[in-house]
Amino acid sequence: EVVPYAAAFVEAEVKKLFPTVTPRWREGFVTDQGNRILDLPFGVIDSPALVADLLSRVPGVLEHGLFLNEIDDVIVGR
């Protein structure tokens, strides 16, 4: 989730940090707070804590989708 006025800056920083990832703005979608979503198709992330930390340090990034400490168990049913 990215503050709109920082969109261009955040996209440029993400490209510098992760040159193999092609960021894509989620078109036609704005959060309840009026922010934009930048999708980053990483695939498998070898160091999710490092990626989360790097994203959190970029000014203009409010949140990322790496929920590393929010759950303890996952139950999958069929």
Side-chain angles (χ1 to χ4, degrees):
E1 184 175 355
V2 178
V3 177
Y5 65 80
F9 174 80
V10 169
E11 184 174 358
E13 289 298 304
V14 166
K15 287 178 180 179
K16 284 187 229 173
L17 288 170
F18 311 106
T20 61
V21 176
T22 303
R24 288 185 222 114
W25 291 104
R26 197 171 298 177
E27 296 298 326
F29 184 82
V30 178
T31 68
D32 293 342
Q33 293 78 30
N35 300 312
R36 298 182 68 192
I37 302 294
L38 184 61
D39 291 317
L40 303 172
F42 282 107
V44 175
I45 300 173
D46 293 326
S47 302
L50 175 62
V51 171
D53 183 55
L54 290 171
L55 289 171
S56 294
R57 292 172 184 263
V58 176
V61 173
L62 298 177
E63 291 291 337
H64 54 70
L66 297 170
F67 306 110
L68 305 178
N69 300 312
E70 284 77 6
I71 61 170
D72 295 320
D73 298 307
V74 175
I75 300 171
V76 179
R78 294 184 184 259

